[in-house]
Amino acid sequence: MNYYINTYGCQMNIHESEKIAGMLEDMGYIPCAEEKDADIIVFNTCCIRETAEQKIYGHMGTTKKLKQNNKDLIIAMCGCMTQQEGIQSTIKSKYPYIDIVLGTGNISMLPQAVNRVRANRKDKVFDENYLKGTEDSMPLARTSAPNAWVNIIYGCNNFCSYCIVPHVRGREHSRKMSDVVSEVKSLIAQGYKEITLLGQNVNSYGHDLNDGTTFAGLLNEIGAIPGKFRIRFMSSHPKDLTDDVIAAIANNKNICNNIHLPVQSGSDDVLRRMNRRYTRQRYLEQIKKIRSMLPDVGITTDIMVGFPGETEQDFQDTLDLVRQAEYSSAFCFIYSRRKGTPAYSMEGQVPYPEKQRRIQLLLKTQNEVTKRLSAEMVGKVYEVLAEDANPKYPDTYCGRTENGRLVNFRCDFNPVGQFVDVLIEQARSATLWGRAVKED
Ligand code: SAH
Ligand code: SF4
Ligand code: F3S
């Protein structure tokens, strides 16, 4: 019996698909390379923007055809989209061929649901309750070695006015520090070299445990584990990034000098209406402090254009901030209206062509910054964790520097899973090219 998982959305979802795969493999299913060969197809969904939803619904059409040809095919849907209000009735009326719908906090019920549907093909399982319990003891089929993801906090309490995540992922819910630490230790013992701690806002880690646990405390604990490995984390909400977190990065050589610090906008008025709870000035001061405490740090961000009421001046403020902050890269998005969020009904929705113009300008501005930072790296040697072979070129591999830059490099042995020193020879905008050099 074969399974196939379609994953949409963020790292959190990609990691959750590893849990889904783990459960299905425990049941005896094996992964297959093509959807048409599957006995069960899982859609692990995302609804952060309308484009994400359109992609999923578009794909559903193909799956419907597979189901028409194979009545025994089981189709399951889980992830953020299933938690939206009213989605259950939409699925029942428009997508009746879906057998199982689970929410974001009860994917551990998948084996039970699959068994029920297998026992009675007319049975359907629809259970979208989130955060029924932790998912800590689930089997995992990891696919990203030498990298691994570890959840540290689920949910979000921030309610940024544009964002659907708190509505579909529930409130913040931290894992116990001892559980996180033992998972990280076990991954290192298994040979994983880079571990990314995941949370919508990792800086809130521990607050809900009410036992003094903090994110900085967790970083110091994990940073003290012996061995050669890297720790990254994402995302950091700027309003909660404290000096002790920056100090923990500075004091632990295994914690990467790399921070993803989503700014969203460079305009105070927009930030206020987004409910981000920091100002442009405070954010820029934070960047200055990070750069003074962490030499060669790589800072990345998320930025949105076309938030309701965003004026040309607000947008220009964002471009100006991008030039000042010197991000090594930025994920840039066009604001998308999400039903159930306050921004949905705000006045001054920006017309689509204008949003398009703004995002093009934003991408161009960031690209100029990235190009300049990349050019500065040429001629220098960086330690790179080799992640994969580059399929396009022989004897070429790709990996990341400590500060998060992607590097393609030539190497005369297969270095995948190892740290190698790479001399950067050429910078083509975002991508860096180089060759492995021998250590002195
Ligand atoms: N928790 C993370 C981000 C999660 S969503 C954080 O706060 O940093 C990833 C990114 O998607 C956000 O940072 C934001 O830039 C973008 N995003 C969220 N809602 C959006 C919407 N309605 N339209 C467009 N982009 C959105
Ligand atoms: Fe969404 Fe804001 Fe929470 Fe991030 S912090 S998930 S943008 S509500
Ligand atoms: Fe999407 Fe949910 Fe992640 S809405 S971005 S998959 S938390």
Side-chain angles (χ1 to χ4, degrees), residues 395-409:
D395 300 326
T396 306
Y397 301 86
C398 58
R400 280 181 197 275
T401 60
E402 175 187 340
N403 63 12
R405 296 298 309 272
L406 191 65
V407 180
N408 288 289
F409 62 97

Side-chain angles (χ1 to χ4, degrees), residues 64-113:
K64 182 182 177 181
K65 288 197 192 97
L66 293 176
K67 179 92 173 186
Q68 280 162 350
N69 296 333
N70 173 12
K71 294 276 178 271
D72 287 333
L73 174 64
I74 297 175
I75 301 176
M77 190 175 178
C78 59
C80 294
M81 211 165 138
T82 68
Q83 296 285 172
Q84 284 174 300
E85 239 182 275
I87 192 84
Q88 302 286 326
S89 54
T90 310
I91 292 172
K92 281 178 187 157
S93 61
K94 288 201 186 144
Y95 307 90
Y97 50 89
I98 296 179
D99 302 289
I100 297 167
V101 176
L102 294 175
T104 50
N106 60 348
I107 49 166
S108 57
M109 280 181 53
L110 185 67
Q112 232 174 300

Side-chain angles (χ1 to χ4, degrees), residues 162-308:
Y162 50 81
C163 185
I164 195 75
V165 172
H167 306 270
V168 295
R169 287 263 166 193
R171 293 298 71 72
E172 282 173 359
H173 173 72
S174 301
R175 284 179 70 191
K176 262 191 6 221
M177 180 136 116
S178 51
D179 288 350
V180 175
V181 173
S182 60
E183 185 172 345
V184 171
K185 277 186 179 156
S186 130
L187 289 166
I188 293 165
Q190 289 168 57
Y192 287 93
K193 299 285 184 239
E194 186 173 293
I195 291 157
T196 305
L197 308 174
L198 290 179
Q200 295 298 346
N201 178 12
V202 289
N203 299 312
S204 308
Y205 174 71
H207 292 178
D208 57 311
L209 297 174
N210 293 316
D211 61 357
T213 302
T214 62
F215 182 52
L218 176 71
L219 286 180
N220 284 321
E221 186 96 8
I222 292 175
I225 299 171
K228 170 88 180 148
F229 60 91
R230 283 175 175 178
I231 298 290
R232 297 186 196 278
F233 53 87
M234 68 183 303
S235 291
S236 269
H237 195 306
K239 79 173 166 51
D240 298 316
L241 180 69
T242 46
D243 290 359
D244 58 353
V245 169
I246 310 174
I249 303 171
N251 295 337
N252 290 285
K253 64 174 183 356
N254 287 337
I255 301 177
C256 291
N257 278 359
N258 187 194
I259 301 186
H260 184 62
L261 199 64
V263 68
Q264 313 299 356
S265 168
S267 147
D268 278 340
D269 184 49
V270 172
L271 286 172
R272 187 180 47 75
R273 287 181 302 107
M274 284 178 163
N275 191 30
R276 290 291 288 181
R277 288 174 280 174
Y278 51 84
T279 59
R280 167 197 176 89
Q281 192 192 348
R282 200 184 125 201
Y283 182 91
L284 285 169
E285 278 164 9
Q286 218 163 31
I287 295 260
K288 219 188 245 167
K289 185 180 279 169
I290 294 170
R291 292 204 190 278
S292 73
M293 289 172 73
L294 307 174
D296 214 23
V297 65
I299 304 176
T300 57
T301 200
D302 295 347
I303 310 172
M304 211 183 292
V305 297
F307 184 78

